[in-house]
Amino acid sequence: MSGYKTAQTQTVRAANGINYDYRSAGLNLMPLVLLQHFRGNLDNWDPALIDALSEHRRVITFDNTGVGASTGRTPHTVAEMAHDAIEFLTAMEFDRVDLLGFSIGSFAAQEIALVRPDLVERIVLASAAPQGAAGMHGWAPDVIGAVGQPETSPEGYLSVFFTDSPVGLEAGQAAAQRIFGGRTEDRDEPTSWQTRLAQYDAVSAWGIPNHALLERVTAITQPVFVANGDSDRMILPRYSHLLAGLLPNATIKIYPDAAHGFLFQHHEEFAADVTEFFRR
Amino acid sequence: MSGYKTAQTQTVRAANGINYDYRSAGLNLMPLVLLQHFRGNLDNWDPALIDALSEHRRVITFDNTGVGASTGRTPHTVAEMAHDAIEFLTAMEFDRVDLLGFSIGSFAAQEIALVRPDLVERIVLASAAPQGAAGMHGWAPDVIGAVGQPETSPEGYLSVFFTDSPVGLEAGQAAAQRIFGGRTEDRDEPTSWQTRLAQYDAVSAWGIPNHALLERVTAITQPVFVANGDSDRMILPRYSHLLAGLLPNATIKIYPDAAHGFLFQHHEEFAADVTEFFRR
């Protein structure tokens, strides 16, 4: 039996003194490194998505500084998260990677490409937004209300990650079963309240309206695949269009009847699109 | 026999002393006013598109100041074109309209919505870009080379408005036959070299890179339908995504295997989409 559900958790010590927990799946090719969503750890990646991606790639998931079982304190800015991720990549001796950033992980992916462009070959931005876009500051009250409580709940998670259509409800139940019901041993540490506070600080700072900052991403010259669900209330699809318009070398796809968890819901189609993007 | 091909050209004198030539088609409802592309006059609207739109709407086409048979001198800024269009709308006694701006006409439509917001109910932006977006200044050399010569040519027109795929070539031939072979009487005056120079000045000024100006369109609160062809080389589809990301209330559709003339090529589908947009 193989696949992400049983992939062994490993640890690498980086030069900044942090022990980063990570998992590796798939073929021994140039790594595709995944950057996780708000409050997510290694277990929060849908195994079905990782398995589909790792049919064609070596896929690396990791807990950034302070997240899950990785040591240290979660920083409160996207810029520091990016630098911490670079510490991990350096410790892994990766000198060239593809990145797939999801939600707050997509913010970190943009920042990594901006501060260490030589490290990044291609980028997938899932449910992303550029720093400074107006209208996204701190997320909608019902969204942060659903996923920002001290104790997370399946209902809150499902309400943000999936639509309430029959298709969305079924997809949410199936994904939750894969994510929360799949792995029984070697599970990650839950993310802490410190991580929640620090990540939300970073998300809020990223969303301070400042149209001058939109120009930042025009410096990302790598090929970028921008993707989102058509009904994402956490990070609206309009910000994916904004990115696709600002980035000099982007393609975009919006997935139907899907919210923040579109890449879990449409895991086969999304993985095929990502694989095709990397082939181009 | 009816339809745009035989719609009578009429003239209205505005308070600025300009005689505006226009044509009207369809039902006597709130007007949908069309703003024409670079160097285009009343005859350059595809009759098949106008007929499809006017099944559900009163559609007004007009020559802005200095264009075709309208009197005056074509201004060299989008802002002045917008003010001139407002003079025409005022002379027509329209106090509330929907706008459909195509190419340079989409620039004027944005400007009208910004300086006279109460006049505009809803907006369709076809092959559009916001002022200040980087990378579009003056169009690509082969594009302005194809459509910017003193004498226009069918080859130049087709190369910019349609793709060179089998589907695009066939669509281009069919559209050109409808546009240039349809109307035999009461044709418009050709646009002048003065119009070409002034409009290109305006296009070039609109495309001076200035990311701070991107914020302008965030003030357009009306519903907007942004549309383009996937292969438009004159105004790249990424600028439609940029608009859809900046505008607070926009939807977007990109039409397949189509270039600048996507709305002529896909006239039935586009008219149906526009009609559906106005129904929402």
Side-chain angles (χ1 to χ4, degrees):
Chain A
M1 184 162 183
S2 69
Y4 188 69
K5 200 169 75 172
T6 55
Q8 190 192 345
T9 306
Q10 302 174 71
T11 304
V12 65
R13 184 171 182 86
N16 60 352
I18 302 296
N19 290 334
Y20 291 96
D21 270 24
Y22 70 95
R23 294 178 190 151
S24 176
L27 309 166
N28 195 18
L29 299 169
M30 187 175 74
L32 168 61
V33 178
L34 273 52
L35 298 151
Q36 182 62 296
H37 66 73
F38 180 62
R39 304 185 80 177
N41 67 14
L42 295 173
D43 297 335
N44 289 104
W45 289 109
D46 185 342
L49 173 62
I50 308 299
D51 289 348
L53 289 170
S54 61
E55 281 179 32
H56 308 279
R57 293 298 303 268
R58 182 179 180 195
V59 179
I60 304 284
T61 62
F62 76 107
D63 282 332
N64 209 341
T65 302
V67 174
S70 286
T71 62
R73 196 172 154 83
T74 300
H76 56 84
T77 66
V78 171
E80 285 307 312
M81 291 170 189
H83 281 286
D84 284 341
I86 292 170
E87 292 276 356
F88 165 72
L89 298 172
T90 306
M92 296 291 286
E93 300 183 355
F94 296 153
D95 55 9
R96 191 88 173 158
V97 297
D98 292 324
L99 294 176
L100 187 162
F102 175 24
S103 192
I104 190 175
S106 79
F107 305 165
Q110 294 169 58
E111 199 73 26
I112 294 166
L114 287 169
V115 300
R116 192 69 66 91
D118 291 347
L119 185 58
V120 182
E121 177 92 9
R122 290 159 301 201
I123 310 164
V124 180
L125 297 177
S127 193
Q131 188 181 357
M136 64 172 182
H137 180 248
W139 293 324
D142 65 319
V143 168
I144 186 61
V147 298
Q149 301 303 319
E151 296 295 323
T152 57
S153 73
E155 296 74 23
Y157 175 83
L158 291 171
S159 76
V160 169
F161 279 65
F162 299 91
T163 70
D164 59 4
S165 77
V167 167
L169 291 171
E170 187 179 330
Q173 290 297 335
Q177 177 58 32
R178 294 192 299 268
I179 293 169
F180 302 109
R183 176 182 284 258
T184 51
E185 296 177 2
D186 185 27
R187 285 188 68 87
D188 199 357
E189 293 292 320
T191 56
S192 69
W193 186 242
Q194 189 271 323
T195 292
R196 182 273 186 215
L197 291 175
Q199 288 187 340
Y200 190 57
D201 288 353
V203 164
S204 297
W206 190 261
I208 297 171
N210 185 341
H211 263 252
L213 295 181
L214 296 184
E215 199 166 3
R216 285 163 30 99
V217 296
T218 65
I220 299 176
T221 54
Q222 288 94 339
V224 181
F225 175 49
V226 181
N228 201 355
D230 64 354
S231 306
D232 189 345
R233 297 182 298 119
M234 193 168 214
I235 304 180
L236 303 181
R238 61 179 279 210
Y239 302 118
S240 288
H241 290 291
L242 186 55
L243 273 167
L246 293 166
L247 290 161
N249 192 6
T251 54
I252 181 173
K253 181 167 176 176
I254 305 295
Y255 295 74
D257 196 1
H260 203 60
F262 76 93
L263 68 176
F264 300 161
Q265 176 173 339
H266 293 279
H267 55 91
E268 284 182 19
E269 183 179 347
F270 175 73
D273 293 334
V274 168
T275 301
E276 173 62 27
F277 165 69
F278 287 139
R279 277 208 187 108
R280 281 201 298 264
Chain B
M1 183 162 181
S2 69
Y4 188 71
K5 199 169 77 173
T6 55
Q8 190 191 345
T9 307
Q10 302 174 71
T11 304
V12 64
R13 184 171 183 85
N16 60 353
I18 302 296
N19 290 334
Y20 290 97
D21 271 24
Y22 71 96
R23 292 176 192 154
S24 176
L27 309 165
N28 194 16
L29 299 169
M30 188 175 75
L32 168 61
V33 177
L34 274 52
L35 298 151
Q36 183 61 299
H37 66 73
F38 181 61
R39 304 185 80 175
N41 67 13
L42 296 172
D43 297 334
N44 289 105
W45 289 109
D46 185 341
L49 172 62
I50 308 299
D51 291 346
L53 289 170
S54 62
E55 281 179 32
H56 309 279
R57 294 296 305 267
R58 183 179 180 197
V59 178
I60 304 285
T61 61
F62 76 107
D63 282 332
N64 209 341
T65 302
V67 174
S70 287
T71 63
R73 196 172 154 81
T74 300
H76 56 84
T77 67
V78 172
E80 285 308 311
M81 291 170 189
H83 282 286
D84 285 340
I86 291 170
E87 292 276 356
F88 165 72
L89 297 172
T90 306
M92 295 292 285
E93 300 182 355
F94 295 153
D95 54 11
R96 191 87 174 159
V97 298
D98 292 325
L99 294 176
L100 188 162
F102 176 24
S103 193
I104 190 174
S106 79
F107 306 165
Q110 294 171 58
E111 199 74 23
I112 294 167
L114 287 169
V115 300
R116 192 69 66 93
D118 291 348
L119 185 58
V120 182
E121 177 92 9
R122 291 159 301 200
I123 310 163
V124 180
L125 298 177
S127 194
Q131 187 182 356
M136 64 172 182
H137 180 249
W139 293 325
D142 64 321
V143 168
I144 186 60
V147 297
Q149 302 302 321
E151 297 295 323
T152 56
S153 73
E155 296 73 23
Y157 175 83
L158 291 171
S159 75
V160 168
F161 280 65
F162 300 91
T163 70
D164 58 4
S165 77
V167 168
L169 291 171
E170 187 179 330
Q173 291 298 334
Q177 178 58 32
R178 294 191 299 268
I179 294 169
F180 302 108
R183 177 181 284 261
T184 51
E185 296 177 4
D186 184 26
R187 287 187 66 86
D188 199 358
E189 293 292 319
T191 56
S192 69
W193 185 243
Q194 188 272 323
T195 292
R196 182 274 188 215
L197 290 175
Q199 288 187 339
Y200 190 58
D201 287 353
V203 164
S204 297
W206 190 261
I208 298 170
N210 185 342
H211 263 252
L213 295 180
L214 296 183
E215 199 166 4
R216 285 163 31 99
V217 296
T218 66
I220 299 176
T221 54
Q222 288 93 338
V224 181
F225 175 49
V226 182
N228 202 354
D230 64 354
S231 306
D232 189 345
R233 298 181 298 120
M234 191 168 215
I235 304 181
L236 303 181
R238 63 178 279 210
Y239 301 118
S240 288
H241 290 291
L242 186 55
L243 274 167
L246 293 166
L247 289 161
N249 192 6
T251 54
I252 180 171
K253 181 166 177 177
I254 305 295
Y255 294 75
D257 197 2
H260 203 60
F262 76 93
L263 68 177
F264 300 160
Q265 176 173 341
H266 293 280
H267 55 91
E268 284 182 19
E269 182 178 349
F270 176 72
D273 292 333
V274 167
T275 301
E276 173 62 26
F277 164 69
F278 287 139
R279 279 208 186 107
R280 282 200 297 264

